[in-house]
PDB file of all heavy atoms in Angstrom:
ATOM      1  N   PRO A 332     -32.849 -16.147  10.934  1.00 91.00           N
ATOM      2  CA  PRO A 332     -33.303 -17.243  11.808  1.00 91.00           C
ATOM      3  C   PRO A 332     -34.434 -18.024  11.146  1.00 91.00           C
ATOM      4  O   PRO A 332     -35.324 -17.451  10.508  1.00 91.00           O
ATOM      5  CB  PRO A 332     -33.782 -16.520  13.067  1.00 91.00           C
ATOM      6  CG  PRO A 332     -34.159 -15.155  12.594  1.00 91.00           C
ATOM      7  CD  PRO A 332     -33.235 -14.830  11.453  1.00 91.00           C
ATOM      8  N   ILE A 333     -34.382 -19.362  11.284  1.00 86.00           N
ATOM      9  CA  ILE A 333     -35.463 -20.198  10.773  1.00 86.00           C
ATOM     10  C   ILE A 333     -36.668 -20.043  11.689  1.00 86.00           C
ATOM     11  O   ILE A 333     -36.533 -20.017  12.912  1.00 86.00           O
ATOM     12  CB  ILE A 333     -35.015 -21.673  10.696  1.00 86.00           C
ATOM     13  CG1 ILE A 333     -33.872 -21.801   9.674  1.00 86.00           C
ATOM     14  CG2 ILE A 333     -36.166 -22.583  10.316  1.00 86.00           C
ATOM     15  CD1 ILE A 333     -33.325 -23.195   9.568  1.00 86.00           C
ATOM     16  N   ASP A 334     -37.815 -19.920  11.108  1.00 69.00           N
ATOM     17  CA  ASP A 334     -39.033 -19.628  11.870  1.00 69.00           C
ATOM     18  C   ASP A 334     -39.500 -20.871  12.630  1.00 69.00           C
ATOM     19  O   ASP A 334     -40.514 -21.481  12.322  1.00 69.00           O
ATOM     20  CB  ASP A 334     -40.128 -19.131  10.923  1.00 69.00           C
ATOM     21  CG  ASP A 334     -41.318 -18.573  11.704  1.00 69.00           C
ATOM     22  OD1 ASP A 334     -41.145 -18.307  12.907  1.00 69.00           O
ATOM     23  OD2 ASP A 334     -42.375 -18.405  11.083  1.00 69.00           O
ATOM     24  N   SER A 335     -38.673 -21.216  13.586  1.00 59.00           N
ATOM     25  CA  SER A 335     -39.035 -22.361  14.433  1.00 59.00           C
ATOM     26  C   SER A 335     -38.351 -22.197  15.778  1.00 59.00           C
ATOM     27  O   SER A 335     -37.139 -22.082  15.854  1.00 59.00           O
ATOM     28  CB  SER A 335     -38.602 -23.684  13.779  1.00 59.00           C
ATOM     29  OG  SER A 335     -38.775 -24.751  14.691  1.00 59.00           O
ATOM     30  N   PHE A 336     -39.121 -22.192  16.863  1.00 53.00           N
ATOM     31  CA  PHE A 336     -38.558 -21.948  18.187  1.00 53.00           C
ATOM     32  C   PHE A 336     -37.637 -23.087  18.615  1.00 53.00           C
ATOM     33  O   PHE A 336     -36.651 -22.887  19.309  1.00 53.00           O
ATOM     34  CB  PHE A 336     -39.692 -21.774  19.201  1.00 53.00           C
ATOM     35  CG  PHE A 336     -39.203 -21.493  20.594  1.00 53.00           C
ATOM     36  CD1 PHE A 336     -38.747 -20.226  20.946  1.00 53.00           C
ATOM     37  CD2 PHE A 336     -39.174 -22.498  21.551  1.00 53.00           C
ATOM     38  CE1 PHE A 336     -38.292 -19.966  22.228  1.00 53.00           C
ATOM     39  CE2 PHE A 336     -38.710 -22.235  22.834  1.00 53.00           C
ATOM     40  CZ  PHE A 336     -38.279 -20.961  23.178  1.00 53.00           C
ATOM     41  N   LYS A 337     -37.929 -24.292  18.188  1.00 59.00           N
ATOM     42  CA  LYS A 337     -37.162 -25.449  18.632  1.00 59.00           C
ATOM     43  C   LYS A 337     -35.842 -25.606  17.887  1.00 59.00           C
ATOM     44  O   LYS A 337     -34.869 -26.116  18.431  1.00 59.00           O
ATOM     45  CB  LYS A 337     -38.001 -26.726  18.467  1.00 59.00           C
ATOM     46  CG  LYS A 337     -39.231 -26.757  19.355  1.00 59.00           C
ATOM     47  CD  LYS A 337     -39.987 -28.064  19.176  1.00 59.00           C
ATOM     48  CE  LYS A 337     -41.227 -28.113  20.075  1.00 59.00           C
ATOM     49  NZ  LYS A 337     -41.976 -29.378  19.924  1.00 59.00           N
ATOM     50  N   ASN A 338     -35.808 -25.183  16.617  1.00 72.00           N
ATOM     51  CA  ASN A 338     -34.620 -25.447  15.799  1.00 72.00           C
ATOM     52  C   ASN A 338     -33.414 -24.611  16.214  1.00 72.00           C
ATOM     53  O   ASN A 338     -32.284 -25.083  16.200  1.00 72.00           O
ATOM     54  CB  ASN A 338     -34.927 -25.189  14.319  1.00 72.00           C
ATOM     55  CG  ASN A 338     -35.745 -26.320  13.717  1.00 72.00           C
ATOM     56  OD1 ASN A 338     -35.692 -27.441  14.208  1.00 72.00           O
ATOM     57  ND2 ASN A 338     -36.503 -26.009  12.681  1.00 72.00           N
ATOM     58  N   ASN A 339     -33.634 -23.343  16.555  1.00 89.00           N
ATOM     59  CA  ASN A 339     -32.536 -22.429  16.891  1.00 89.00           C
ATOM     60  C   ASN A 339     -31.452 -22.449  15.807  1.00 89.00           C
ATOM     61  O   ASN A 339     -30.263 -22.614  16.087  1.00 89.00           O
ATOM     62  CB  ASN A 339     -31.915 -22.782  18.240  1.00 89.00           C
ATOM     63  CG  ASN A 339     -32.899 -22.628  19.379  1.00 89.00           C
ATOM     64  OD1 ASN A 339     -33.933 -21.984  19.236  1.00 89.00           O
ATOM     65  ND2 ASN A 339     -32.578 -23.226  20.513  1.00 89.00           N
ATOM     66  N   GLN A 340     -31.872 -22.287  14.549  1.00 93.00           N
ATOM     67  CA  GLN A 340     -30.944 -22.358  13.427  1.00 93.00           C
ATOM     68  C   GLN A 340     -30.926 -21.051  12.649  1.00 93.00           C
ATOM     69  O   GLN A 340     -31.900 -20.297  12.638  1.00 93.00           O
ATOM     70  CB  GLN A 340     -31.320 -23.517  12.491  1.00 93.00           C
ATOM     71  CG  GLN A 340     -31.101 -24.891  13.104  1.00 93.00           C
ATOM     72  CD  GLN A 340     -31.458 -25.990  12.135  1.00 93.00           C
ATOM     73  OE1 GLN A 340     -32.389 -25.864  11.323  1.00 93.00           O
ATOM     74  NE2 GLN A 340     -30.718 -27.088  12.195  1.00 93.00           N
ATOM     75  N   LEU A 341     -29.787 -20.826  11.981  1.00 95.00           N
ATOM     76  CA  LEU A 341     -29.603 -19.640  11.152  1.00 95.00           C
ATOM     77  C   LEU A 341     -29.242 -20.048   9.729  1.00 95.00           C
ATOM     78  O   LEU A 341     -28.364 -20.904   9.521  1.00 95.00           O
ATOM     79  CB  LEU A 341     -28.469 -18.763  11.703  1.00 95.00           C
ATOM     80  CG  LEU A 341     -28.644 -18.124  13.080  1.00 95.00           C
ATOM     81  CD1 LEU A 341     -27.315 -17.519  13.527  1.00 95.00           C
ATOM     82  CD2 LEU A 341     -29.729 -17.050  13.040  1.00 95.00           C
ATOM     83  N   ASP A 342     -29.933 -19.455   8.754  1.00 95.00           N
ATOM     84  CA  ASP A 342     -29.487 -19.533   7.358  1.00 95.00           C
ATOM     85  C   ASP A 342     -28.544 -18.363   7.106  1.00 95.00           C
ATOM     86  O   ASP A 342     -28.796 -17.234   7.558  1.00 95.00           O
ATOM     87  CB  ASP A 342     -30.675 -19.454   6.393  1.00 95.00           C
ATOM     88  CG  ASP A 342     -31.454 -20.757   6.333  1.00 95.00           C
ATOM     89  OD1 ASP A 342     -30.893 -21.798   6.741  1.00 95.00           O
ATOM     90  OD2 ASP A 342     -32.626 -20.730   5.909  1.00 95.00           O
ATOM     91  N   VAL A 343     -27.459 -18.621   6.385  1.00 96.00           N
ATOM     92  CA  VAL A 343     -26.463 -17.582   6.121  1.00 96.00           C
ATOM     93  C   VAL A 343     -26.404 -17.318   4.622  1.00 96.00           C
ATOM     94  O   VAL A 343     -26.231 -18.252   3.825  1.00 96.00           O
ATOM     95  CB  VAL A 343     -25.061 -18.000   6.617  1.00 96.00           C
ATOM     96  CG1 VAL A 343     -24.092 -16.828   6.486  1.00 96.00           C
ATOM     97  CG2 VAL A 343     -25.116 -18.493   8.039  1.00 96.00           C
ATOM     98  N   ASN A 344     -26.557 -16.045   4.235  1.00 96.00           N
ATOM     99  CA  ASN A 344     -26.424 -15.628   2.842  1.00 96.00           C
ATOM    100  C   ASN A 344     -25.251 -14.663   2.715  1.00 96.00           C
ATOM    101  O   ASN A 344     -25.188 -13.667   3.445  1.00 96.00           O
ATOM    102  CB  ASN A 344     -27.698 -14.939   2.349  1.00 96.00           C
ATOM    103  CG  ASN A 344     -28.896 -15.874   2.342  1.00 96.00           C
ATOM    104  OD1 ASN A 344     -28.750 -17.078   2.171  1.00 96.00           O
ATOM    105  ND2 ASN A 344     -30.079 -15.325   2.531  1.00 96.00           N
ATOM    106  N   PHE A 345     -24.326 -14.961   1.817  1.00 97.00           N
ATOM    107  CA  PHE A 345     -23.204 -14.070   1.534  1.00 97.00           C
ATOM    108  C   PHE A 345     -23.446 -13.405   0.181  1.00 97.00           C
ATOM    109  O   PHE A 345     -23.534 -14.092  -0.848  1.00 97.00           O
ATOM    110  CB  PHE A 345     -21.881 -14.843   1.494  1.00 97.00           C
ATOM    111  CG  PHE A 345     -21.418 -15.315   2.838  1.00 97.00           C
ATOM    112  CD1 PHE A 345     -21.600 -16.634   3.230  1.00 97.00           C
ATOM    113  CD2 PHE A 345     -20.801 -14.436   3.717  1.00 97.00           C
ATOM    114  CE1 PHE A 345     -21.182 -17.072   4.472  1.00 97.00           C
ATOM    115  CE2 PHE A 345     -20.374 -14.865   4.965  1.00 97.00           C
ATOM    116  CZ  PHE A 345     -20.566 -16.182   5.347  1.00 97.00           C
ATOM    117  N   TYR A 346     -23.545 -12.070   0.183  1.00 96.00           N
ATOM    118  CA  TYR A 346     -23.752 -11.296  -1.043  1.00 96.00           C
ATOM    119  C   TYR A 346     -22.425 -10.617  -1.414  1.00 96.00           C
ATOM    120  O   TYR A 346     -21.933  -9.756  -0.677  1.00 96.00           O
ATOM    121  CB  TYR A 346     -24.846 -10.254  -0.839  1.00 96.00           C
ATOM    122  CG  TYR A 346     -26.199 -10.855  -0.496  1.00 96.00           C
ATOM    123  CD1 TYR A 346     -26.627 -10.943   0.823  1.00 96.00           C
ATOM    124  CD2 TYR A 346     -27.037 -11.337  -1.499  1.00 96.00           C
ATOM    125  CE1 TYR A 346     -27.865 -11.489   1.144  1.00 96.00           C
ATOM    126  CE2 TYR A 346     -28.279 -11.880  -1.186  1.00 96.00           C
ATOM    127  CZ  TYR A 346     -28.676 -11.959   0.129  1.00 96.00           C
ATOM    128  OH  TYR A 346     -29.898 -12.514   0.436  1.00 96.00           O
ATOM    129  N   LEU A 347     -21.854 -11.007  -2.545  1.00 95.00           N
ATOM    130  CA  LEU A 347     -20.541 -10.518  -2.970  1.00 95.00           C
ATOM    131  C   LEU A 347     -20.676  -9.808  -4.313  1.00 95.00           C
ATOM    132  O   LEU A 347     -21.150 -10.399  -5.291  1.00 95.00           O
ATOM    133  CB  LEU A 347     -19.553 -11.677  -3.109  1.00 95.00           C
ATOM    134  CG  LEU A 347     -19.493 -12.664  -1.924  1.00 95.00           C
ATOM    135  CD1 LEU A 347     -18.559 -13.821  -2.230  1.00 95.00           C
ATOM    136  CD2 LEU A 347     -19.066 -11.951  -0.665  1.00 95.00           C
ATOM    137  N   THR A 348     -20.267  -8.542  -4.346  1.00 95.00           N
ATOM    138  CA  THR A 348     -20.309  -7.760  -5.582  1.00 95.00           C
ATOM    139  C   THR A 348     -18.884  -7.558  -6.084  1.00 95.00           C
ATOM    140  O   THR A 348     -18.082  -6.894  -5.411  1.00 95.00           O
ATOM    141  CB  THR A 348     -20.975  -6.398  -5.350  1.00 95.00           C
ATOM    142  OG1 THR A 348     -22.286  -6.597  -4.816  1.00 95.00           O
ATOM    143  CG2 THR A 348     -21.055  -5.604  -6.645  1.00 95.00           C
ATOM    144  N   PRO A 349     -18.531  -8.131  -7.244  1.00 94.00           N
ATOM    145  CA  PRO A 349     -17.142  -8.043  -7.710  1.00 94.00           C
ATOM    146  C   PRO A 349     -16.758  -6.631  -8.155  1.00 94.00           C
ATOM    147  O   PRO A 349     -17.596  -5.824  -8.566  1.00 94.00           O
ATOM    148  CB  PRO A 349     -17.101  -9.007  -8.910  1.00 94.00           C
ATOM    149  CG  PRO A 349     -18.320  -9.851  -8.785  1.00 94.00           C
ATOM    150  CD  PRO A 349     -19.342  -8.989  -8.115  1.00 94.00           C
ATOM    151  N   LEU A 350     -15.482  -6.344  -8.062  1.00 94.00           N
ATOM    152  CA  LEU A 350     -14.914  -5.148  -8.681  1.00 94.00           C
ATOM    153  C   LEU A 350     -14.898  -5.331 -10.192  1.00 94.00           C
ATOM    154  O   LEU A 350     -15.075  -6.446 -10.706  1.00 94.00           O
ATOM    155  CB  LEU A 350     -13.486  -4.933  -8.177  1.00 94.00           C
ATOM    156  CG  LEU A 350     -13.322  -4.501  -6.719  1.00 94.00           C
ATOM    157  CD1 LEU A 350     -11.892  -4.778  -6.247  1.00 94.00           C
ATOM    158  CD2 LEU A 350     -13.641  -3.028  -6.551  1.00 94.00           C
ATOM    159  N   LYS A 351     -14.674  -4.252 -10.924  1.00 93.00           N
ATOM    160  CA  LYS A 351     -14.550  -4.358 -12.372  1.00 93.00           C
ATOM    161  C   LYS A 351     -13.377  -5.266 -12.718  1.00 93.00           C
ATOM    162  O   LYS A 351     -12.348  -5.247 -12.048  1.00 93.00           O
ATOM    163  CB  LYS A 351     -14.341  -2.979 -12.987  1.00 93.00           C
ATOM    164  CG  LYS A 351     -15.561  -2.075 -12.915  1.00 93.00           C
ATOM    165  CD  LYS A 351     -15.295  -0.744 -13.613  1.00 93.00           C
ATOM    166  CE  LYS A 351     -16.533   0.149 -13.573  1.00 93.00           C
ATOM    167  NZ  LYS A 351     -16.285   1.450 -14.248  1.00 93.00           N
ATOM    168  N   LYS A 352     -13.548  -6.030 -13.753  1.00 93.00           N
ATOM    169  CA  LYS A 352     -12.503  -6.984 -14.122  1.00 93.00           C
ATOM    170  C   LYS A 352     -11.202  -6.281 -14.483  1.00 93.00           C
ATOM    171  O   LYS A 352     -10.112  -6.735 -14.124  1.00 93.00           O
ATOM    172  CB  LYS A 352     -12.963  -7.854 -15.297  1.00 93.00           C
ATOM    173  CG  LYS A 352     -11.996  -8.985 -15.637  1.00 93.00           C
ATOM    174  CD  LYS A 352     -12.551  -9.894 -16.696  1.00 93.00           C
ATOM    175  CE  LYS A 352     -11.602 -11.055 -16.983  1.00 93.00           C
ATOM    176  NZ  LYS A 352     -11.454 -11.960 -15.828  1.00 93.00           N
ATOM    177  N   ASN A 353     -11.292  -5.149 -15.156  1.00 95.00           N
ATOM    178  CA  ASN A 353     -10.099  -4.415 -15.570  1.00 95.00           C
ATOM    179  C   ASN A 353     -10.144  -2.990 -15.017  1.00 95.00           C
ATOM    180  O   ASN A 353     -11.201  -2.351 -14.987  1.00 95.00           O
ATOM    181  CB  ASN A 353      -9.990  -4.353 -17.098  1.00 95.00           C
ATOM    182  CG  ASN A 353      -9.763  -5.717 -17.713  1.00 95.00           C
ATOM    183  OD1 ASN A 353      -8.684  -6.286 -17.604  1.00 95.00           O
ATOM    184  ND2 ASN A 353     -10.796  -6.260 -18.355  1.00 95.00           N
ATOM    185  N   SER A 354      -8.991  -2.514 -14.580  1.00 93.00           N
ATOM    186  CA  SER A 354      -8.889  -1.129 -14.118  1.00 93.00           C
ATOM    187  C   SER A 354      -7.515  -0.593 -14.482  1.00 93.00           C
ATOM    188  O   SER A 354      -6.545  -1.342 -14.630  1.00 93.00           O
ATOM    189  CB  SER A 354      -9.106  -1.034 -12.604  1.00 93.00           C
ATOM    190  OG  SER A 354      -8.097  -1.721 -11.900  1.00 93.00           O
ATOM    191  N   LEU A 355      -7.451   0.725 -14.633  1.00 93.00           N
ATOM    192  CA  LEU A 355      -6.215   1.397 -15.026  1.00 93.00           C
ATOM    193  C   LEU A 355      -5.914   2.485 -14.008  1.00 93.00           C
ATOM    194  O   LEU A 355      -6.781   3.289 -13.676  1.00 93.00           O
ATOM    195  CB  LEU A 355      -6.355   1.998 -16.425  1.00 93.00           C
ATOM    196  CG  LEU A 355      -5.087   2.544 -17.093  1.00 93.00           C
ATOM    197  CD1 LEU A 355      -4.132   1.408 -17.427  1.00 93.00           C
ATOM    198  CD2 LEU A 355      -5.449   3.313 -18.363  1.00 93.00           C
ATOM    199  N   SER A 356      -4.688   2.495 -13.497  1.00 90.00           N
ATOM    200  CA  SER A 356      -4.290   3.535 -12.543  1.00 90.00           C
ATOM    201  C   SER A 356      -3.097   4.300 -13.095  1.00 90.00           C
ATOM    202  O   SER A 356      -2.261   3.751 -13.822  1.00 90.00           O
ATOM    203  CB  SER A 356      -3.941   2.926 -11.184  1.00 90.00           C
ATOM    204  OG  SER A 356      -2.842   2.050 -11.286  1.00 90.00           O
ATOM    205  N   PHE A 357      -3.027   5.562 -12.732  1.00 82.00           N
ATOM    206  CA  PHE A 357      -1.982   6.463 -13.223  1.00 82.00           C
ATOM    207  C   PHE A 357      -1.386   7.193 -12.030  1.00 82.00           C
ATOM    208  O   PHE A 357      -2.113   7.738 -11.206  1.00 82.00           O
ATOM    209  CB  PHE A 357      -2.588   7.455 -14.221  1.00 82.00           C
ATOM    210  CG  PHE A 357      -1.609   8.441 -14.795  1.00 82.00           C
ATOM    211  CD1 PHE A 357      -0.766   8.065 -15.821  1.00 82.00           C
ATOM    212  CD2 PHE A 357      -1.543   9.734 -14.312  1.00 82.00           C
ATOM    213  CE1 PHE A 357       0.132   8.977 -16.364  1.00 82.00           C
ATOM    214  CE2 PHE A 357      -0.653  10.649 -14.836  1.00 82.00           C
ATOM    215  CZ  PHE A 357       0.190  10.262 -15.879  1.00 82.00           C
ATOM    216  N   GLN A 358      -0.074   7.200 -11.931  1.00 76.00           N
ATOM    217  CA  GLN A 358       0.597   7.791 -10.774  1.00 76.00           C
ATOM    218  C   GLN A 358       1.750   8.667 -11.238  1.00 76.00           C
ATOM    219  O   GLN A 358       2.522   8.290 -12.118  1.00 76.00           O
ATOM    220  CB  GLN A 358       1.114   6.684  -9.847  1.00 76.00           C
ATOM    221  CG  GLN A 358       1.765   7.197  -8.572  1.00 76.00           C
ATOM    222  CD  GLN A 358       2.248   6.057  -7.685  1.00 76.00           C
ATOM    223  OE1 GLN A 358       2.297   4.911  -8.099  1.00 76.00           O
ATOM    224  NE2 GLN A 358       2.615   6.382  -6.470  1.00 76.00           N
TER     225      GLN A 358
END
Side-chain angles (χ1 to χ4, degrees):
I333 296 178
D334 191 16
S335 171
F336 181 77
K337 295 182 180 180
N338 284 335
N339 297 343
Q340 292 181 326
L341 296 170
D342 284 341
V343 187
N344 296 331
F345 289 101
Y346 299 97
L347 311 176
T348 303
L350 290 161
K351 291 183 178 180
K352 187 174 182 66
N353 294 288
S354 64
L355 190 68
S356 62
F357 180 79
Q358 183 180 12

